[in-house]
Amino acid sequence: MFDGYCRQIMQPKRVAYNKSDLECGFPRQDFQLQGLQCSLYKCNKYTQSCILYLHGYNGSRLEAVQYASFVCKNDFDFCSFDFQAAGQSQGDFVTFGLKEEENVALVIKYLKEKYFHIILWGRSMGATTALMYTQKNANIRCLVLDSPFLVLEDVVINLIKLKLHTPDIINKGLYELIKRCIAKLFQFHINKVQLPLNLNITCPMILLASKQDHLIPQYHFDSIYKGYLGHKRMVVLQSNHNEQRSTEIIKTIIGFCQSMTPQSRFSPTKYHERLLGDLDEQKYIATGIKIKQKIMRNQSASTHNKNSAQIQKDKALMQLSILK
């Protein structure tokens, strides 16, 4: 009994989808990084900023499609990928952030060759993974944290409660049995997945938290917010853990991201690979190229005006010589 339930926890059923399901109306580039299946959506402007979306437990990059058009319409590029053992990526089991943090590092390394600003937007397990990564790396512009958990133990106990409808005193005992079973089957220790109470992170953060969340206790959100060192803001939701986010919430998230990257989204930079890649696709013309073209047109018009003036001057001198 416990073996089967433990495998369900560590090897949740993968989300099945086709590549056509990933379309959002903006150009998309699919790529692979060491077994991770990734998608990069490009807005219609040159930008230095990319939002990287991290899906939740039992999710996939399909989860991000609902946000992709909103993000791209507001002049950000948008990237998502399947964590290990999720969607179409390789991997045997999930680790609730421990190995997923390494997945994030791999994708960010790829994106840093193209963008100056990287924003992490995580949901549930993805939000906790974003905190784990940013705790160790200072190369993130800002964080969007939607329902992160502080300690995995509480989440597993709530999963047991929702599955079996048993009282808390029994759930605690079942958790100990499941913890030992998972350690035996997967050599993975649930109690290692927890965030420190004091988060040594200085980049700005917006935290989405719901008092009606049936999976993550309220004190997780309060502790994360209290222990966060950088500029922070909490948005209180009135929804369950897995409910779809409203358009107003999405607008709030995008507005926060825009306020963290003023002006810089449209300025050409030293990242020439992104610039040349856009020109090769013949879909994008960077701001710097547009400016150069305008200068060349102005120079051409100026030369034409000078030539016209010289012709008029020669005609006038010829008329004067005739009068003499």
Side-chain angles (χ1 to χ4, degrees), residues 251-311:
K251 287 180 179 179
T252 298
I253 291 170
I254 293 174
F256 168 77
C257 295
Q258 288 175 326
S259 68
M260 294 298 110
T261 56
Q263 302 298 324
S264 62
R265 294 194 301 282
F266 316 119
S267 302
T269 68
K270 63 183 179 181
Y271 298 96
H272 59 279
E273 291 182 3
R274 165 63 200 260
L275 180 61
L276 294 176
D278 287 347
L279 290 175
D280 289 342
E281 292 180 15
Q282 298 181 350
K283 292 175 181 175
Y284 305 94
I285 299 179
T287 305
I289 300 298
K290 288 183 177 180
I291 293 172
K292 184 176 180 180
Q293 289 175 343
K294 186 174 181 180
I295 292 171
M296 292 176 67
R297 286 196 299 268
N298 290 341
Q299 288 176 341
S300 177
S302 176
T303 302
H304 174 75
N305 292 337
K306 288 180 180 179
N307 291 338
S308 298
Q310 185 64 43
I311 291 171

Side-chain angles (χ1 to χ4, degrees), residues 55-70:
H55 67 75
Y57 173 76
N58 199 26
S60 72
R61 57 181 162 162
L62 187 64
E63 183 182 307
V65 176
Q66 60 185 315
Y67 307 123
S69 61
F70 284 96

Side-chain angles (χ1 to χ4, degrees), residues 160-205:
I160 297 169
K161 184 177 180 180
L162 291 169
K163 182 79 172 179
L164 303 177
H165 306 287
T166 47
D168 290 342
I169 190 169
I170 294 179
N171 294 336
K172 291 277 188 180
L174 290 174
Y175 167 77
E176 291 299 324
L177 293 173
I178 289 171
K179 181 176 70 173
R180 289 197 290 269
C181 183
I182 288 176
K184 179 182 177 181
L185 290 173
F186 298 95
Q187 289 74 54
F188 175 76
H189 301 281
I190 290 177
N191 57 319
K192 287 187 177 182
V193 184
Q194 58 182 345
L195 294 169
L197 291 176
N198 295 313
L199 293 163
N200 187 29
I201 304 174
T202 57
C203 71
M205 173 271 284

Side-chain angles (χ1 to χ4, degrees), residues 53-246:
Y53 185 85
L54 311 179
H55 67 75
Y57 173 76
N58 199 26
S60 72
R61 57 181 162 162
L62 187 64
E63 183 182 307
V65 176
Q66 60 185 315
Y67 307 123
S69 61
F70 284 96
V71 172
C72 291
K73 285 177 184 176
N74 285 275
D75 305 321
F76 289 96
D77 283 358
F78 188 58
C79 185
S80 63
F81 69 98
D82 294 336
F83 279 126
Q84 63 173 55
Q88 298 178 356
S89 287
Q90 297 176 7
D92 296 325
F93 59 90
V94 301
T95 63
F96 299 92
L98 293 186
K99 291 293 184 180
E100 287 78 4
E101 178 190 335
E102 298 175 9
N103 299 164
V104 173
L106 186 63
V107 178
I108 287 179
K109 181 180 179 181
Y110 172 84
L111 294 176
K112 270 295 184 180
E113 296 177 358
K114 300 174 177 289
Y115 302 96
F116 187 71
H117 295 308
I118 305 295
I119 297 169
L120 288 183
W121 176 354
R123 177 82 181 259
S124 189
M125 183 188 78
T128 298
T129 305
L131 284 168
M132 289 179 176
Y133 175 84
T134 315
Q135 177 81 4
K136 301 174 184 176
N137 300 273
N139 58 354
I140 299 302
R141 181 62 180 171
C142 60
L143 292 173
V144 178
L145 305 174
D146 187 344
S147 310
F149 59 80
L150 183 70
V151 182
L152 180 59
E153 177 181 338
D154 291 340
V155 179
V156 174
I157 289 174
N158 280 340
L159 282 171
I160 297 169
K161 184 177 180 180
L162 291 169
K163 182 79 172 179
L164 303 177
H165 306 287
T166 47
D168 290 342
I169 190 169
I170 294 179
N171 294 336
K172 291 277 188 180
L174 290 174
Y175 167 77
E176 291 299 324
L177 293 173
I178 289 171
K179 181 176 70 173
R180 289 197 290 269
C181 183
I182 288 176
K184 179 182 177 181
L185 290 173
F186 298 95
Q187 289 74 54
F188 175 76
H189 301 281
I190 290 177
N191 57 319
K192 287 187 177 182
V193 184
Q194 58 182 345
L195 294 169
L197 291 176
N198 295 313
L199 293 163
N200 187 29
I201 304 174
T202 57
C203 71
M205 173 271 284
I206 184 170
L207 173 64
L208 277 61
S210 176
K211 294 181 179 180
Q212 299 177 21
D213 196 312
H214 60 274
L215 192 60
I216 301 177
Q218 178 65 34
Y219 90 87
H220 283 224
F221 307 137
D222 294 337
S223 298
I224 289 171
Y225 187 80
K226 182 179 179 181
Y228 196 88
L229 186 62
H231 175 76
K232 53 195 174 184
R233 176 188 173 190
M234 182 184 290
V235 177
V236 178
L237 307 176
Q238 302 297 327
S239 57
N240 287 329
H241 185 75
N242 292 319
E243 284 189 24
Q244 188 173 355
R245 299 306 178 225
S246 68

